[in-house]
Amino acid sequence: MAGEYDPDPRPGAVRATAALFRDARTAVQPAAGHYPWLDDPAAFSRTVAAFLGR
């Protein structure tokens, strides 16, 4: 999971890293920075719950 405005790691780097793992998924939270759980806790929780529930 990356925040759209996270300076490090940038969303592109998160995608590239995730591609190295068989079951990895990438999510970019809009309008979030380095701490997406603080920027929009509800969106973060939905994304994580969806991943864990799959």
Side-chain angles (χ1 to χ4, degrees):
M1 178 129 195
E4 178 181 18
Y5 302 123
D6 192 347
D8 192 30
R10 301 283 307 152
V14 172
R15 285 187 195 95
T17 302
L20 300 173
F21 297 89
R22 184 174 46 124
D23 278 338
R25 303 288 184 272
T26 302
V28 177
Q29 185 169 308
H34 192 66
Y35 303 105
W37 55 90
L38 296 178
D39 295 326
D40 188 347
F44 180 83
S45 295
R46 283 191 305 273
T47 302
V48 172
F51 173 76
L52 294 175
R54 63 182 177 90

